[in-house]
Amino acid sequence: VKDLSVTGQHSQFTKKYDYDRISAENYVNEMGLGSKTKYLIWTNLYTQHTFVFQKVSGRWSCLRDFECASGSGKRPTPTGYKELWQHISIRHGRKFWTSFSNINSYHAKLSKQTLGAPGSNGCVRMKESAAKYIYYNIPLKTRAFIY
């Protein structure tokens, strides 16, 4: 677990610690999380970070990790177990939507939007390369664990 102590504009949202890939793997494996596919996504709202895992020899192995921005204020990102169910190439000017609820998805941020602190209307924003990775590489019916 690495120290992310910061000061400044987002300090009330950015927490002191973030998970490195090994700590994230240990966490999801200890939780006993499952998925209908060989992939699993964990979005940690506390650290504003999304991890993508693949099942290898009966254990989750972290493939990728991305900084993100979740919902804030009156439109928080829904928490709990979700299932990826739809891909939309572009919506509301944002690319690579992978839906996990009726109105929320993983998608690319607009150029001026920031990451690392809540700021969306319930979706999980990320860099275009991250949203594109999920869109093209993670199949529908994959479980997303969001908390």
Side-chain angles (χ1 to χ4, degrees), residues 35-40 53-56 60-61 63 139 142:
S35 179
K36 291 180 182 175
T37 71
K38 65 180 183 176
Y39 297 96
L40 173 74
F53 302 91
Q54 182 177 14
K55 195 75 139 183
V56 177
W60 293 114
S61 176
L63 297 174
T142 293

Side-chain angles (χ1 to χ4, degrees), residues 1-39:
V1 178
K2 58 187 173 186
D3 187 339
L4 289 182
S5 299
V6 297
T7 58
Q9 178 183 355
H10 299 298
S11 62
Q12 74 260 30
F13 301 114
T14 305
K15 304 303 178 186
K16 184 172 174 71
Y17 295 103
D18 193 9
Y19 290 83
D20 58 31
R21 285 185 176 193
I22 300 298
S23 298
E25 286 176 4
N26 290 337
Y27 178 76
V28 297
N29 283 299
E30 288 172 15
M31 290 284 294
L33 300 178
S35 179
K36 291 180 182 175
T37 71
K38 65 180 183 176
Y39 297 96

Side-chain angles (χ1 to χ4, degrees), residues 47-59:
T47 62
Q48 297 292 294
H49 217 84
T50 295
F51 297 90
V52 177
F53 302 91
Q54 182 177 14
K55 195 75 139 183
V56 177
S57 300
R59 286 186 51 85

Side-chain angles (χ1 to χ4, degrees), residues 41 52 66 84 86-90 94-99 106-108 126 128-140:
I41 297 175
V52 177
F66 310 110
L84 305 184
Q86 181 182 39
H87 291 304
I88 302 170
S89 60
I90 191 164
R94 293 164 183 91
K95 297 179 181 178
F96 306 114
W97 287 66
T98 302
S99 299
Y106 293 99
H107 64 72
M126 43 188 52
E128 185 172 314
S129 60
K132 186 176 183 178
Y133 178 84
I134 291 172
Y135 183 91
Y136 283 113
N137 295 288
I138 307 305
L140 299 181

Side-chain angles (χ1 to χ4, degrees), residues 76-128:
T77 300
T79 58
Y81 297 106
K82 309 297 177 193
E83 190 172 280
L84 305 184
W85 67 278
Q86 181 182 39
H87 291 304
I88 302 170
S89 60
I90 191 164
R91 186 175 184 191
H92 305 297
R94 293 164 183 91
K95 297 179 181 178
F96 306 114
W97 287 66
T98 302
S99 299
F100 57 81
S101 76
N102 288 338
I103 59 171
N104 301 109
S105 68
Y106 293 99
H107 64 72
K109 71 180 188 73
L110 296 175
S111 62
K112 294 183 180 185
Q113 294 174 325
T114 60
L115 301 175
S120 79
N121 287 323
C123 290
V124 178
R125 291 184 196 149
M126 43 188 52
K127 288 183 180 177
E128 185 172 314

